[in-house]
Amino acid sequence: MTSAARARPRPGTPGKRVARDAAVKAALDVVRGREDLIARRANDPVEFVHRHRARADRELVALLAASCAFGNVKAIRLKLAELLDRVGPRPARAADDPEALTARLLGFKHRVFRGEDLAKLLVGARRVQRAAGSLGAAFQRELARVDRTRSDEEPEARVREALASFCDLIRAEGGLPRAGQVDPTGRRGPSHLLSDPRAGSGAKRLLLFLRWMVRPADGIDLGLWKVSAQRLLVPVDVHIHKLARNLGLTRRRDLSWRTSVEITRALARFDPEDPTRYDFSLCHMGMVQRCPSRPDAARCEGCGVQPVCVHWQRAKKAS
Ligand code: SF4
């Protein structure tokens, strides 16, 4: 059964629902169509991944960039620039020498992460990469195993388990503590580098990494892995969450895994083959628009989804 078929029943008559879906899809297509993806990429962490040509380097830089994607995008990019400068031009080669890499990253800090934590992430990922041939092959193997052994579970739950097992491999190879646990020096920070989707976390950074690797290459996503884009889930940050609520795609108030599933299933009604195709444009629009989540003529001006925004529709009905 596809994600679309599993979508929750929505209120309203079938005719109204079909018309509403068509209107929301049309608005999303306008937003995506008018987005200059390449210009936007220059301000996004994924741009660092595109600087590399070798697949092994791209996978490692993507994992590093997604894992560091906490908070303000400008600050993230500044930190990534410093970090990757220290790592050097061939991250895969650098990760083959754990001691030298750790020495190069000593003194680096980004939020709760230190250079030595990021060295462990890179070393662990590189070992998994070498053993399986690529990170993509390691993830595909985990997903195939979970699909085979847990066929009674929902497709999204199987992706969650495959992602969690994939992270377990990297943690074990790199010597990183499991989510919530402390490292030998008593620090909890390193355990947050790879989130734990099993704990219900929205796992935004892991889903972002997965989207970069899986979605067909479009100037933003790279399409490196042989995994169907149907298996992807939307990485839900505050911008996507706010817009999803304002478009009636979810009523949930948290940034949990469940919310990501609900938004993805709603988006699958518009594109069942590629439900996350609107994610990048919506996220950047949310950043630029500073959405107030209420009708505000000044701040909503130019918002591509205003014709289908629930706040404006309610205001129109009330007037
Ligand atoms: S119209 Fe305004 S409130 Fe609605 S999504 Fe756009 S910016 Fe937000």
Side-chain angles (χ1 to χ4, degrees), residues 242-259:
K242 200 185 271 192
L243 284 167
R245 282 177 57 86
N246 295 348
L247 291 174
L249 306 181
T250 185
R251 290 185 177 178
R252 294 181 62 86
R253 294 185 175 279
D254 55 28
L255 303 185
S256 63
W257 181 268
R258 202 64 225 164
T259 302

Side-chain angles (χ1 to χ4, degrees), residues 243 246 289 291-295 299-300 303 305-306 309 311-312:
L243 284 167
N246 295 348
Q289 201 73 42
C291 166
S293 286
R294 60 183 160 75
R299 283 171 65 184
C300 296
C303 173
V305 297
Q306 187 177 340
C309 171
H311 301 292
W312 283 90

Side-chain angles (χ1 to χ4, degrees), residues 225-246:
W225 291 5
K226 288 195 185 89
V227 174
S228 165
Q230 284 183 317
R231 306 299 302 266
L232 294 173
L233 283 99
V234 173
V236 180
D237 66 1
V238 288
H239 304 294
I240 290 292
H241 184 230
K242 200 185 271 192
L243 284 167
R245 282 177 57 86
N246 295 348

Side-chain angles (χ1 to χ4, degrees), residues 247-278:
L247 291 174
L249 306 181
T250 185
R251 290 185 177 178
R252 294 181 62 86
R253 294 185 175 279
D254 55 28
L255 303 185
S256 63
W257 181 268
R258 202 64 225 164
T259 302
S260 181
V261 170
E262 199 165 303
I263 295 172
T264 305
R265 289 181 181 184
L267 289 172
R269 297 201 300 271
F270 314 134
D271 192 338
E273 303 299 316
D274 188 8
T276 62
R277 72 189 285 254
Y278 300 108

Side-chain angles (χ1 to χ4, degrees), residues 282-302:
L282 278 178
C283 183
H284 275 259
M285 191 193 90
M287 285 182 209
V288 172
Q289 201 73 42
R290 290 171 39 250
C291 166
S293 286
R294 60 183 160 75
D296 178 322
R299 283 171 65 184
C300 296
E301 191 183 351

Side-chain angles (χ1 to χ4, degrees), residues 143-158:
L143 187 58
R145 180 183 60 75
V146 177
D147 278 341
R148 202 173 51 247
T149 55
R150 299 189 176 208
S151 56
D152 54 325
E153 293 185 11
E154 292 181 335
E156 299 93 339
R158 285 183 260 140

